[in-house]
């Protein structure tokens, strides 16, 4: 298979068919022995190199309930971006991600959880995607990004992902 920039590819099938396993193998995250090559621009790439340019959004959100969407991205930026990155540039980059994913209106709302009201399910999914866009990967893997969402919310997540692929030149 070949995947190209600005392209969104969907892997579909019934539960238990191995979609997540295949996604983990493609993302060089699989445990155990896997035989085959990952090529980047027709050149063999090691798993280490590939993981440096690709990010993975797991099915279940791993968000801190007490942080706002903006604070979550600022925290991730401190971990992933070079310390020499100017604050103004980081802020503009994060604001762009929030806007692209339709999170700018709720940027200062806490994530929330079982004990505290906060972001909706769709907003949490989009925030999980936003976290993986902070360091501007070339490839983005999404494991069931619409799982548990109603059709309208799932549609908004898919539209946001398509816009990201197109605008940032990502392979999703």
């Amino acid at each position: 298979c070949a995947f190209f920039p600005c392209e969104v590819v969907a892997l579909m099938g019934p539960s238990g068919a191995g979609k997540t396993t295949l996604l983990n193998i493609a993302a060089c995250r699989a445990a155990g022995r896997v035989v085959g090559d990952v090529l980047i621009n027709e050149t063999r790439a090691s798993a280490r190199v590939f993981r440096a340019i690709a990010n993975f959004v797991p099915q279940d959100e791993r968000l801190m309930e007490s942080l706002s969407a903006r604070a979550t991205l600022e925290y991730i930026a401190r971990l992933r971006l070079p310390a020499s990155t100017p604050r103004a540039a980081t802020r503009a980059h994060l604001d762009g991600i929030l806007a692209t994913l339709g999170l700018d209106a709720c940027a200062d709302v806490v994530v929330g959880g079982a004990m505290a009201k906060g972001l909706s399910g769709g907003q949490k999914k989009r925030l999980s995607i936003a976290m993986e866009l902070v360091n501007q990967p070339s490839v983005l893997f999404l494991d069931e990004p619409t799982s548990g969402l109603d059709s309208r919310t799932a549609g908004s997540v898919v539209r946001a992902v398509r816009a990201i692929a197109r605008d940032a030149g990502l392979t999703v």
Side-chain angles (χ1 to χ4, degrees):
C1 292
F3 305 102
F4 301 96
C6 303
E7 183 175 77
V8 177
V9 177
L11 178 62
M12 299 172 64
S15 290
K19 299 180 299 292
T20 297
T21 301
L22 181 58
L23 196 62
N24 282 324
I25 290 169
C28 298
R29 294 170 39 103
R33 188 173 191 289
V34 177
V35 178
D37 293 322
V38 174
L39 304 178
I40 302 173
N41 296 330
E42 299 180 16
T43 304
R44 185 174 180 219
S46 69
R48 189 177 129 265
V49 168
F50 189 72
R51 282 193 298 263
I53 65 158
N55 285 357
F56 189 93
V57 179
Q59 178 180 351
D60 53 326
E61 295 96 16
R62 296 180 183 142
L63 303 169
M64 294 182 67
E65 296 178 2
S66 61
L67 294 180
S68 69
R70 184 183 315 280
T72 298
L73 292 185
E74 288 171 349
Y75 179 75
I76 294 297
R78 285 190 195 113
L79 294 172
R80 293 189 180 172
L81 297 179
S84 61
T85 307
R87 278 188 191 253
T90 299
R91 180 75 150 180
H93 176 56
L94 299 182
D95 285 345
I97 292 171
L98 288 166
T100 300
L101 287 167
L103 293 170
D104 43 350
C106 62
D108 297 311
V109 175
V110 296
V111 170
M115 302 302 289
K117 187 173 164 77
L119 299 177
S120 70
Q123 290 166 333
K124 288 179 183 178
K125 289 275 188 188
R126 287 181 277 147
L127 180 56
S128 292
I129 294 167
M131 290 168 51
E132 298 306 324
L133 294 173
V134 169
N135 62 328
Q136 300 173 308
S138 297
V139 180
L140 185 64
F141 291 96
L142 305 170
D143 188 9
E144 297 195 36
T146 60
S147 180
L149 302 177
D150 61 63
S151 60
R152 181 173 181 225
T153 305
S156 73
V157 169
V158 171
R159 280 189 297 280
V161 168
R162 288 177 62 203
I164 290 163
R166 180 189 65 238
D167 297 345
L170 278 175
T171 302
V172 181

